[in-house]
């Protein structure tokens, strides 16, 4: 029995000796009673040097450390404790250990694990984290972070300043409960329609959304918002929202729009006067004996004056669109008859440019369309005028009316210079003119398609473009065939 | 036969003179005034067959003139043609609701179309 016990003890001691964890037994007078190989290595010493000596002898100053205090505590109170301790060696070097100090009859047993690498990583991470936090805190954009349920987990300083909340008021709260959002006309946006909810539901980012936020003091201000989902290992864990106050941009834009509006009105008077006088000159007998060159020159002046008038008219339309002042006066129209009429009127202009217009009606059975006839005309005229203008080879322009999935589609197709892939992206923006359009010396203000698109979208329609350089372009507007509202 | 009388209320001399010259040439009796107030004073002495009314004028604008005309029994029936550079829907609708007979936008209409329309309107009287 005793032999068996001794064998077990030997085996145990042997196992302890080669344990990867450090193991040491310390007597009540702080002497090393037992140390395994790992501890000797951890202590930058040897079993021989340590055994029988006190800790204070081996590591002077150890009695002042937190580790020593825990050790003493364990000896007195006989309670287990686990600590992370940075050990300072006599040569001044330092190393982190996780220590489990347990009472044993001889004193205490200490198991030690070298956690230096872990600590170094932790320190590095902490540093990165702090650095990130400083960056996020100091950016000018407002920043709100939420968890996957939309609860606020971070709000940076800029967001606090813009919205008027302090972190204590919002952390842990659903963003939608403390931050209210409105549209342009002041209507509160429903929670389910809010970009934040959409991103949380669909895990897809939303960029550059313009909306209005309500400050704590109930003021509202325009914002540009970008929300990105945080996806870790394929799972949505929250969102990051970055937003900025765009009050200044809005104010500048408004001032600009108003300026354009006032300037265009002011420009119309002198241009209109010049127009009438030029018409009066050509209409009367003054020019009967005039040389051709004078008539040509007057014609040139007149044409350019008309050009300016068109530009001013478009500028006014744009400024009114931007001011949200465009009001449709819809009327019930027979769409096919209307298109026929517009095309007929445009034929005359087209013939001057030696271009013919072919009208193809693939579908005739449309209910009456409820639309502003003047704007509808403006849209078609814009598209047809463009087609004629950019149709440099004098090939016919085609207007095709069709019905596709309950939408009325009107296509205007030319075989002209076409639009490059790069320019397609910007073709509907304000003041944009395609590279080729400019180099071909065609006149234009870069406003027609912007106005066209704005109108069509105002009718819940859309406009699409198919184009190939040097082959031609097809602009198609799609309009819902809606029943006439009862008035 | 007595010439038909037209009063042109227009603050812009270039427009005023061109219209006057042409309409006299067409055989009308033309009176010109340069603002709304002057127009109202003149209407106390004359009852023209047609008023050509600019809408933006000093002292009294065209809309104010239209409001006042509606209240004067003898003048209620005189046709008024707006000749203006205001071309927005709300302006046109406002003028129409005040009883305007025709609305012409100067920079959109050709000079001869304007003259044609004036003559047509007067020929009906």
């Amino acid at each position: 029995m005793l032999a068996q016990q001794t064998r077990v003890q030997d085996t145990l001691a042997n196992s302890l000796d080669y344990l990867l964890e450090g193991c040491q037994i310390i007597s009540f007078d702080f002497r090393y009673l037992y140390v395994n190989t790992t501890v000797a290595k951890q202590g930058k010493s040897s079993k021989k040097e340590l055994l029988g000596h006190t800790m204070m002898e081996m590591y002077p100053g150890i009695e002042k450390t937190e580790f020593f205090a825990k050790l003493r505590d364990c000896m007195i109170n006989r309670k287990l404790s686990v600590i992370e301790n940075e050990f300072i060696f006599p040569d001044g070097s330092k190393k982190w250990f996780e220590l489990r100090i347990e009472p044993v009859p001889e004193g205490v047993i200490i198991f030690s694990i070298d956690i230096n690498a872990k600590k170094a990583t932790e320190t590095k991470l902490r540093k990165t984290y702090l650095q990130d936090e400083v960056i996020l805190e100091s950016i000018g954009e407002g920043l709100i972070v939420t968890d996957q349920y939309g609860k606020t987990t971070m709000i940076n300083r800029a967001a606090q300043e813009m919205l008027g909340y302090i972190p204590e008021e919002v952390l842990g709260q659903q963003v939608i409960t403390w931050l209210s959002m409105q549209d342009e006309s002041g209507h509160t946006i429903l929670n389910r329609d809010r970009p934040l909810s959409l991103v949380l539901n669909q895990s897809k980012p939303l960029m550059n959304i313009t909306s209005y936020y309500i400050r704590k003091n109930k003021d509202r201000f325009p914002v540009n918002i970008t929300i990105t989902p945080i996806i870790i290992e394929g799972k949505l864990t929250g969102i990051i929202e970055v937003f900025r106050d765009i009050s200044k941009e809005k104010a500048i834009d408004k001032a600009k729009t108003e300026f354009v509006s006032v300037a265009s009105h002011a420009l119309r008077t002198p241009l209109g006067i010049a127009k009438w006088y030029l018409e009066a000159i050509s209409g009367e007998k003054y020019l009967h004996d005039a040389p051709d060159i004078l008539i040509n020159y007057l014609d040139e002046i007149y044409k350019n004056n008309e050009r300016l008038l068109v530009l001013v008219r478009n500028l006014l339309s744009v400024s009114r669109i931007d001011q949200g002042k465009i009001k449709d006066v819809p009327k019930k129209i027979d769409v096919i008859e209307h298109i026929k009429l517009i095309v007929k009127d445009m034929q005359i202009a087209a013939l001057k440019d030696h271009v013919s217009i072919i009208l193809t009606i693939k579908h005739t059975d449309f209910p009456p369309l409820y639309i502003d006839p003047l704007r509808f005309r403006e849209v078609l005229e814009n598209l047809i005028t463009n087609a004629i203008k950019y149709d440099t080879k004098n090939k016919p322009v085609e207007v095709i009316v069709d019905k596709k999935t309950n939408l009325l589609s009107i296509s205007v197709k030319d075989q002209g210079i076409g639009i490059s892939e790069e320019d397609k992206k910007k073709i509907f923006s304000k003041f944009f003119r395609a590279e080729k359009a400019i180099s071909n010396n065609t006149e234009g203000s870069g406003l027609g398609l912007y106005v066209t698109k704005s109108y069509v979208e105002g009718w819940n329609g859309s406009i699409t473009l198919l184009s190939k350089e040097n082959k031609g372009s097809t602009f198609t507007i799609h309009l819902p065939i809606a029943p006439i509202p009862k008035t | 036969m007595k010439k038909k009388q037209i009063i042109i209320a227009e603050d812009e001399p270039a427009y005023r003179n061109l219209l006057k010259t042409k309409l006299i040439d067409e055989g009308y009796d033309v009176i010109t005034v340069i603002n709304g107030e002057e127009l109202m004073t003149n209407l106390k002495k004359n009852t023209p067959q047609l008023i050509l009314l600019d809408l933006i004028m000093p002292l009294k604008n065209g809309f104010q003139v239209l409001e006042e005309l509606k209240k004067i029994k003898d003048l209620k029936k005189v046709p008024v043609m707006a000749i203006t550079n205001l071309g927005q829907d709300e302006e046109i609708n406002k003028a129409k609701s005040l009883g305007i007979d025709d609305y012409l936008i100067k920079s959109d209409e050709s000079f001869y179309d304007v003259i044609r329309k004036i003559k047509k309107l007067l020929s009906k009287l």
Side-chain angles (χ1 to χ4, degrees):
Chain A
M1 181 72 186
L2 197 69
Q4 195 186 3
Q5 215 172 338
T6 318
R7 219 171 37 244
V8 170
Q9 274 173 3
D10 280 354
T11 317
L12 254 173
N14 219 15
S15 304
L16 282 177
D17 251 1
Y18 293 101
L19 205 65
L20 284 173
E21 222 175 331
C23 177
Q24 52 190 306
I25 297 172
I26 309 289
S27 69
F28 287 105
D29 59 351
F30 305 106
R31 261 172 226 286
Y32 291 99
L33 292 182
Y34 169 79
V35 289
N36 74 351
T37 316
T38 309
V39 152
K41 220 185 270 170
Q42 286 174 346
K44 292 185 183 173
S45 187
S46 68
K47 285 186 185 180
K48 215 166 142 188
E49 279 178 305
L50 292 170
L51 286 173
H53 290 97
T54 64
M55 296 176 97
M56 293 75 92
E57 284 167 355
M58 293 312 296
Y59 302 102
I62 198 168
E63 65 277 10
K64 289 171 202 145
T65 62
E66 189 205 351
F67 158 59
F68 198 80
K70 288 273 178 198
L71 191 73
R72 205 197 315 250
D73 185 57
C74 183
M75 282 185 183
I76 299 165
N77 298 317
R78 313 305 289 161
K79 267 187 198 152
L80 175 143
S81 65
V82 181
I83 59 163
E84 285 187 353
N85 179 53
E86 190 176 31
F87 193 78
I88 304 165
F89 292 94
D91 65 0
S93 60
K94 295 170 181 179
K95 223 170 183 188
W96 278 93
F97 293 100
E98 187 191 282
L99 304 169
R100 204 170 81 236
I101 310 163
E102 290 180 44
V104 287
E106 295 83 2
V108 294
I109 186 166
I110 306 168
F111 293 97
S112 51
I113 306 168
D114 181 343
I115 53 164
N116 216 41
K118 182 186 133 195
K119 272 286 167 184
T121 315
E122 256 178 41
T123 313
K124 212 167 134 190
L125 270 175
R126 172 122 198 96
K127 226 164 131 184
T128 317
Y129 176 77
L130 283 173
Q131 204 176 352
D132 286 352
E133 209 171 61
V134 170
I135 294 171
L136 295 179
E137 269 302 318
S138 56
I139 56 168
E141 266 88 6
L143 182 115
I144 294 173
V145 184
T146 80
D147 62 11
Q148 68 266 46
Y149 308 109
K151 282 186 182 158
T152 320
T153 54
M154 185 190 167
I155 173 167
N156 78 342
R157 195 158 35 217
Q160 293 166 36
E161 276 164 20
M162 277 187 259
L163 300 168
Y165 289 96
I166 55 168
E168 290 71 34
E169 294 173 299
V170 298
L171 289 180
Q173 307 288 325
Q174 295 258 358
V175 172
I176 50 171
T177 60
W178 61 269
L179 182 56
S180 169
M181 193 178 197
Q182 288 183 354
D183 62 14
E184 183 86 40
S185 43
H187 296 117
T188 302
I189 296 171
L190 294 176
N191 287 343
R192 64 180 152 88
D193 297 333
R194 284 181 60 154
L196 181 105
S197 311
L198 299 177
V199 174
L200 282 172
N201 283 335
Q202 295 162 8
S203 299
K204 277 185 198 144
L206 285 174
M207 315 269 227
N208 287 323
I209 294 159
T210 304
S211 194
Y212 288 82
Y213 271 157
I214 311 298
R215 287 186 233 275
K216 194 183 170 189
N217 68 7
K218 307 282 178 228
D219 278 355
R220 92 189 203 124
F221 67 105
V223 279
N224 178 286
I225 309 167
T226 291
I227 303 180
T228 317
I230 311 170
I231 295 165
I232 297 171
E233 286 168 355
K235 225 182 122 197
L236 178 85
T237 59
I239 61 98
I240 299 177
E241 167 171 340
V242 181
F243 65 95
R244 63 194 170 83
D245 184 340
I246 51 166
S247 305
K248 273 193 192 136
E249 282 109 309
K250 280 256 170 190
I252 292 169
D253 216 44
K254 193 170 165 234
K256 184 207 74 194
T257 306
E258 279 165 7
F259 168 76
V260 170
S261 171
V262 170
S264 321
H265 266 300
L267 282 169
R268 279 174 95 146
T269 303
L271 291 172
I273 291 171
K275 173 185 166 76
W276 278 17
Y277 275 83
L278 284 165
E279 283 165 353
I281 291 172
S282 352
E284 303 293 331
K285 43 207 174 291
Y286 315 121
L287 293 178
H288 279 182
D289 299 323
D292 285 351
I293 193 162
L294 176 60
I295 294 168
N296 287 344
Y297 284 6
L298 281 170
D299 191 42
E300 208 55 52
I301 296 170
Y302 185 71
K303 271 203 301 210
N304 281 286
N305 192 62
E306 285 293 304
R307 238 178 103 181
L308 259 177
L309 274 168
V310 170
L311 174 63
V312 168
R313 208 172 295 143
N314 279 336
L315 272 174
L316 257 177
S317 298
V318 168
S319 83
R320 291 178 62 77
I321 290 169
D322 290 353
Q323 289 177 79
K325 274 192 189 167
I326 288 291
K327 279 193 201 89
D328 263 357
V329 186
K331 279 186 188 133
K332 195 168 102 173
I333 63 162
D334 179 333
V335 69
I336 299 290
E337 282 312 306
H338 225 77
I339 295 170
K340 278 185 189 165
L341 207 70
I342 297 166
V343 169
K344 195 180 145 205
D345 290 347
M346 293 300 288
Q347 294 279 13
I348 303 157
L351 284 177
K352 272 191 202 159
D353 286 298
H354 313 286
V355 175
S356 61
I357 308 174
I358 303 165
L359 175 62
T360 313
I361 296 168
K362 291 189 176 170
H363 188 101
T364 49
D365 184 24
F366 290 103
L369 201 61
Y370 197 70
I371 205 163
D372 187 320
L374 289 177
R375 300 243 155 77
F376 182 69
R377 175 177 272 267
E378 202 177 328
V379 162
L380 277 193
E381 279 184 1
N382 267 340
L383 294 178
I384 297 173
T385 310
N386 277 350
I388 297 169
K389 204 155 58 178
Y390 300 116
D391 206 340
T392 45
K393 291 166 231 151
N394 299 342
K395 297 257 181 66
V397 165
E398 259 189 283
V399 178
I400 306 150
V401 184
D402 204 353
K403 185 181 169 183
K404 277 174 195 155
T405 59
N406 218 29
L407 289 174
L408 159 69
S409 76
I410 307 164
S411 303
V412 178
K413 187 177 174 187
D414 69 56
Q415 299 175 47
I417 55 175
I419 299 158
S420 74
E421 285 303 316
E422 193 51 41
D423 286 347
K424 272 184 199 171
K425 294 175 209 153
K426 299 176 231 156
I427 200 80
F428 293 106
S429 12
K430 224 186 296 182
F431 295 112
F432 178 77
R433 297 208 60 217
E435 202 65 42
K436 268 201 129 174
I438 300 164
S439 59
N440 266 284
N441 278 328
T442 36
E443 299 157 3
S445 61
L447 294 172
L449 285 175
Y450 173 77
V451 171
T452 302
K453 186 171 185 259
S454 303
Y455 286 171
V456 171
E457 287 178 352
W459 300 324
N460 294 322
S462 62
I463 181 162
T464 52
L465 163 66
L466 277 176
S467 185
K468 215 169 191 179
E469 272 189 278
N470 303 318
K471 298 272 183 208
S473 307
T474 306
F475 284 88
T476 306
I477 58 169
H478 313 269
L479 294 173
I481 310 168
I484 303 160
K486 284 176 191 157
T487 45
Chain B
M1 200 177 80
K2 206 178 163 234
K3 284 180 178 175
K4 285 178 179 161
Q5 192 182 65
I6 303 172
I7 296 189
I8 304 173
E10 165 69 75
D11 63 326
E12 186 61 52
Y15 276 126
R16 200 168 58 227
N17 295 338
L18 185 63
L19 279 170
K20 184 183 174 184
T21 310
K22 180 66 189 168
L23 291 171
I24 289 176
D25 211 32
E26 292 287 338
Y28 298 108
D29 175 17
V30 180
I31 296 171
T32 58
V33 292
I34 60 169
N35 59 55
E37 216 159 84
E38 212 179 284
L39 172 66
M40 292 317 291
T41 314
N42 203 290
L43 286 172
K44 283 175 191 158
K45 299 178 280 181
N46 299 296
T47 306
Q49 271 72 48
L50 174 66
I51 300 169
L52 296 183
L53 183 68
D54 186 12
L55 292 177
I56 311 173
M57 283 183 298
L59 297 177
K60 200 168 271 177
N61 68 36
F63 295 109
Q64 291 167 307
V65 167
L66 287 171
E67 299 262 11
E68 285 186 33
L69 287 180
K70 275 200 334 193
K71 294 175 199 153
I72 304 166
K73 201 183 155 200
D74 291 344
L75 296 173
K76 252 196 298 201
K77 284 179 191 148
V78 178
V80 184
M81 202 180 231
I83 301 193
T84 175
N85 260 329
L86 291 180
Q88 303 309 333
D89 298 339
E90 56 264 39
E91 291 144 358
I92 298 173
N93 291 335
K94 190 177 168 191
K96 281 187 177 161
S97 72
L98 289 169
I100 206 95
D101 293 86
D102 205 350
Y103 193 106
L104 305 180
I105 300 163
K106 286 179 215 170
S107 50
D108 289 353
E109 299 275 346
S110 87
F111 177 58
Y112 286 99
D113 279 342
V114 172
I115 299 299
R116 230 186 325 275
K117 284 178 183 172
I118 294 170
K119 283 165 77 175
K120 197 175 162 192
L121 204 147
L122 282 170
S123 68
K124 286 186 205 157
L125 300 176

